[in-house]
Amino acid sequence: NAGVTQTPKFRVLKTGQSMTLLCAQDMNHEYMYWYRQDPGMGLRLIHYSVGEGTTAKGEVPDGYNVSRLKKQNFLLGLESAAPSQTSVYFCASRGHQETQYFGPGTRLLVL
Amino acid sequence: AQKITQTQPGMFVQEKEAVTLDCTYDTSDQSYGLFWYKQPSSGEMIFLIYQGSYDEQNATEGRYSLNFQKARKSANLVISASQLGDSAMYFCAMREAYNAGNMLTFGGGTRLMVKP
């Protein structure tokens, strides 16, 4: 019963490098979300998806891209990482009920 | 303007006592949902409780209850009989109407520390 998983758990990047964060859910949920959490703050929505093949911008989308080619996966890409993108990234999914279920998070450090 | 305000950055409570964590929200929607999540030091986000704007009864889940005062736009979390394992960050969040993505807006959080 994996729920929502995220890969990797921790990553260090140099400024300008690119990477992709993978989120996978096994609950057959339609909605998926990517949030970032900066120190001492709540979560802010980056991008979201309401179903396979769809994506939309959230509150802080700049510098990120996403794709939802398969219903169970939601990928978050950083094309050219910046120190301001140092954060903890959370993926979440939601079915027909109200609750969003979160993954364990990915800690990203951009030097 | 902040949509979700948590005015208590940090709080202490004695083990076995009850504690109330404050949350006020701002929305002009009639249909909305309010959530509380717990984030222990390990970092994961754990769903605690949900209250819909049309729910007449305050939500309860075990030792957690949500004191929903619609006219005051407050949705305070009450934890009864605090335990050491309750020490964590607590976040209040809101889903406004039935927006396309059913997105959540989070408050800044309250750090709760339970004293033995």
Side-chain angles (χ1 to χ4, degrees):
Chain A
N1 189 12
V4 181
T5 58
Q6 293 183 230
T7 310
K9 289 184 171 55
F10 178 70
R11 184 76 183 268
V12 179
L13 289 179
K14 295 181 179 178
T15 297
Q17 287 185 320
S18 64
M19 77 164 294
T20 300
L21 282 66
L22 170 64
C23 175
Q25 53 95 4
D26 61 2
M27 297 175 280
N28 201 36
H29 284 170
E30 291 293 335
Y31 300 91
M32 296 188 74
Y33 308 85
W34 275 108
Y35 294 88
R36 62 176 287 173
Q37 183 180 30
D38 298 313
M41 296 178 65
L43 280 68
R44 291 183 293 167
L45 184 67
I46 305 171
H47 286 279
Y48 67 96
S49 168
V50 301
E52 181 179 317
T54 73
T55 64
K57 294 180 180 180
E59 180 187 357
V60 288
D62 293 342
Y64 305 95
N65 57 76
V66 288
S67 64
R68 183 108 181 261
L69 299 179
K70 294 183 178 180
K71 187 177 184 179
Q72 64 268 33
N73 296 337
F74 195 28
L75 278 64
L76 178 71
L78 287 74
E79 291 187 346
S80 179
S84 61
Q85 294 177 304
T86 292
S87 190
V88 180
Y89 292 85
F90 285 97
C91 176
S93 72
R94 174 189 180 277
H96 297 295
Q97 302 298 318
E98 283 284 349
T99 304
Q100 289 188 20
Y101 294 94
F102 285 80
T106 294
R107 292 185 178 274
L108 176 64
L109 175 61
V110 183
L111 301 174
Chain B
Q2 292 280 349
K3 288 191 177 242
I4 296 286
T5 302
Q6 296 180 252
T7 57
Q8 306 151 314
M11 288 188 70
F12 284 95
V13 64
Q14 197 68 40
E15 191 179 9
K16 299 182 184 178
E17 292 185 350
V19 63
T20 298
L21 306 183
D22 294 342
C23 173
T24 58
Y25 58 92
D26 181 25
T27 181
S28 57
D29 290 341
Q30 295 301 308
S31 176
Y32 52 90
L34 297 156
F35 303 77
W36 278 91
Y37 283 85
K38 173 184 178 181
Q39 187 176 42
S41 57
S42 52
E44 70 267 34
M45 295 289 288
I46 302 168
F47 167 72
L48 295 178
I49 197 165
Y50 164 76
Q51 178 87 39
S53 60
Y54 291 121
D55 295 340
E56 294 183 354
Q57 302 286 334
N58 284 345
T60 60
E61 290 286 350
R63 292 186 300 112
Y64 304 107
S65 61
L66 200 153
N67 184 2
F68 181 46
Q69 298 187 41
K70 197 169 183 176
R72 297 180 60 185
K73 293 189 176 179
S74 74
N76 298 340
L77 177 71
V78 180
I79 306 175
S80 63
S82 297
Q83 301 172 356
L84 295 178
D86 294 334
S87 294
M89 283 289 291
Y90 288 82
F91 292 96
C92 180
M94 176 173 63
R95 188 265 309 142
E96 291 183 273
Y98 286 97
N99 56 68
N102 290 285
M103 298 170 283
L104 295 181
T105 302
F106 284 82
T110 294
R111 181 172 297 282
L112 177 66
M113 291 151 282
V114 181
K115 296 185 291 185

